[in-house]
């Protein structure tokens, strides 16, 4: 048995199914996009299916919801036992059944008719009862299933999944859904964190920041740097404005110069030309600045250059920004 041959055959059959669907795709698909877009503001897309089609329907509902189209999955069998109460006349039902004769779906079609719920279908059974009752039908017929027995839905479910993705992307673009919108519905994901988390959410506040005055001896400053644990010191004037920074790297350079750290002041060795960020900036902006400037920590200042905190790369890593 050649497993690789079987795998390639399966992929080839499913590619052919997708190619055939591209030729069949027509006005009904555009009609479905516009039907969904024209629903009332509080309307949702309810995706339904049984068996393998149910798994595909669940994924399509999740993709629609995450890309700006409120949507959820309802199992047709559960719908007949009370879950029909979740569906309102403002909603649009998208039913997926390759045969179009799935009994659990057909039993609840009268409910949609009675309550004025719009029904669209994805089916390969264009003469089926489901197709006959649907306002719009998306053809999911395939030349053949990849299953050699012709029993397990394979090509047809791949096609339905691809059409669901196509529907979600069409709606995303038509509705002007942005990266910021995506981040709002994915706050626990990396993109959500990078687009929503500000420096204020991550930084060490002023009261705990490693801050020194310019006239402190380098030796004393080293103790404070070690205690602060951020890899640098922020040097401020009497008005709390940032006037310089002193880093681990600056310390190594001082030692290379045989500087007397007992008598030298931070004012003599601090870096006066330094980068900084403001608390209301996105945390990802701090990452970009650190990478570009090749530094691992930054002062956080306000509009008057007064220090309000400090931030370093380790904090950004812990917050999942990187």
């Amino acid at each position: 048995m050649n497993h690789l041959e079987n795998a390639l055959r399966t992929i080839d059959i499913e590619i052919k199914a997708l190619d055939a669907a591209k030729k069949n795709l027509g006005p009904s698909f555009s009609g479905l996009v516009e039907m969904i877009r024209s629903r009332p503001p509080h309307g949702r897309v309810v995706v339904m299916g049984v068996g393998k089609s149910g798994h595909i329907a669940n994924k399509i509902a999740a993709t629609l919801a995450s890309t700006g189209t409120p949507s959820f999955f309802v199992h047709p069998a559960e719908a007949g036992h009370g879950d029909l109460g979740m569906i309102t006349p403002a909603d649009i039902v998208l039913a997926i059944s390759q045969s179009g004769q799935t009994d659990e779906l057909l039993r609840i079609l009268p409910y949609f008719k009675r309550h004025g719920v719009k029904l669209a279908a994805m089916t390969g059974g264009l003469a089926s009862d489901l197709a006959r009752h649907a306002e719009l039908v998306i053809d999911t017929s395939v030349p053949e299933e990849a299953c050699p027995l012709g029993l397990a839905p394979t090509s047809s479910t791949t096609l339905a999944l691809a059409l669901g993705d196509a529907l979600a992307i069409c709606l995303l673009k038509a509705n002007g859904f942005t990266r910021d919108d995506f981040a709002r519905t994915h706050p626990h994901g990396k993109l959500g964190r990078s687009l929503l988390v500000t420096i204020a959410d991550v930084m060490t506040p002023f009261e705990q920041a490693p801050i020194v005055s310019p006239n402190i001896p380098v030796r004393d400053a080293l103790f404070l740097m070690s205690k602060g644990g951020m890899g640098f010191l922020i040097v401020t004037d009497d008005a709390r404005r940032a006037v310089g920074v002193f880093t681990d790297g600056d310390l190594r350079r001082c030692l290379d110069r045989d500087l007397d750290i007992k008598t030298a002041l931070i004012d003599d060795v601090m870096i006066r030309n330094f980068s900084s960020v403001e608390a209301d900036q996105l945390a990802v902006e701090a990452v970009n600045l650190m990478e570009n400037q090749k530094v691992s920590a930054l002062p956080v200042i306000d509009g008057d250059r007064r220090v309000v905190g400090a931030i370093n790369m380790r904090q950004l890593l812990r917050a999942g920004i990187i």
Side-chain angles (χ1 to χ4, degrees):
M1 180 181 294
N2 190 321
H3 300 305
L4 187 56
E5 256 182 38
N6 287 333
L8 292 173
R9 174 188 170 277
T10 299
I11 293 170
D12 283 340
I13 289 173
E14 297 197 355
I15 288 172
K16 287 176 184 174
L18 293 173
D19 282 338
K22 286 167 64 178
K23 297 171 185 172
N24 291 336
L25 208 59
S28 60
F29 187 87
S30 299
L32 177 57
V33 174
E34 291 307 316
M35 177 191 284
I36 294 172
R37 291 194 70 209
S38 63
R39 74 194 187 283
H42 56 286
R44 292 83 42 90
V45 178
V46 183
V47 195
M48 309 183 82
V50 176
K52 307 300 183 296
S53 293
H55 293 301
I56 298 300
N58 213 330
K59 192 275 181 186
I60 291 174
T63 301
L64 287 169
S66 73
T67 52
T69 302
S71 179
F72 62 97
F73 170 77
V74 172
H75 194 287
E78 297 296 334
H81 290 277
D83 283 0
L84 280 173
M86 301 166 66
I87 305 171
T88 74
D91 299 330
I92 291 167
V93 170
L94 175 58
I96 303 174
S97 168
Q98 188 58 12
S99 68
Q101 294 297 144
T102 303
D103 190 50
E104 294 91 337
L105 270 173
L106 297 182
R107 287 183 194 174
I108 58 176
L109 294 186
Y111 178 90
F112 302 142
K113 292 288 185 184
R114 261 196 325 271
H115 292 83
V117 179
K118 291 184 177 180
L119 173 67
M122 285 187 183
T123 181
L126 300 184
S128 64
D129 289 338
L130 176 62
R132 187 162 53 84
H133 286 91
E135 294 185 40
L136 280 171
V137 177
I138 308 300
D139 184 4
T140 59
S141 56
V142 294
E144 64 177 313
E145 297 284 8
C147 170
L149 304 176
L151 299 175
T154 44
S155 304
S156 55
T157 47
T158 298
L159 173 56
L161 185 62
L163 288 169
D165 287 343
L167 178 63
I169 298 307
C170 286
L171 289 165
L172 177 152
K173 291 189 174 182
N175 295 328
F177 191 77
T178 67
R179 287 171 61 88
D180 287 346
D181 295 325
F182 189 89
R184 276 189 281 274
T185 59
H186 296 73
H188 293 174
K190 184 176 179 181
L191 177 62
R193 288 192 295 271
S194 69
L195 292 180
L196 296 179
V197 176
T198 66
I199 289 169
D201 296 325
V202 180
M203 72 180 191
T204 297
F206 174 80
E207 295 74 18
Q208 299 163 26
I211 294 170
V212 297
S213 65
N215 58 1
I216 188 174
V218 173
R219 179 181 61 184
D220 296 340
L222 296 184
F223 171 75
L224 294 173
M225 184 187 293
S226 176
K227 183 180 177 182
M230 296 196 72
F232 86 137
L233 294 170
I234 304 170
V235 187
T236 64
D237 61 17
D238 294 338
R240 216 173 87 178
R241 288 188 294 266
V243 294
V245 297
F246 185 73
T247 70
D248 289 337
D250 297 324
L251 171 61
R252 287 191 294 274
R253 284 183 282 276
C254 286
L255 297 176
D256 288 342
R257 290 162 46 195
D258 291 328
L259 189 78
D260 186 350
I261 62 172
K262 295 179 182 178
T263 58
L265 303 179
I266 281 292
D267 190 54
D268 301 324
V269 295
M270 70 181 184
I271 303 300
R272 300 174 190 276
N273 183 20
F274 58 94
S275 298
S276 60
V277 290
E278 296 191 10
D280 59 356
Q281 289 180 247
L282 293 176
V284 71
E285 295 180 68
V287 174
N288 294 336
L289 184 57
M290 288 183 196
E291 290 177 342
N292 291 336
Q293 299 293 326
K294 294 182 171 53
V295 296
S296 60
L298 294 167
V300 183
I301 62 172
D302 64 15
D304 295 320
R305 296 199 64 77
R306 288 191 299 265
V307 176
V308 296
I311 190 166
N312 68 6
M313 194 68 80
R314 188 169 62 254
Q315 291 170 309
L316 294 163
L317 279 166
R318 280 202 304 265
I321 305 301
I322 303 172

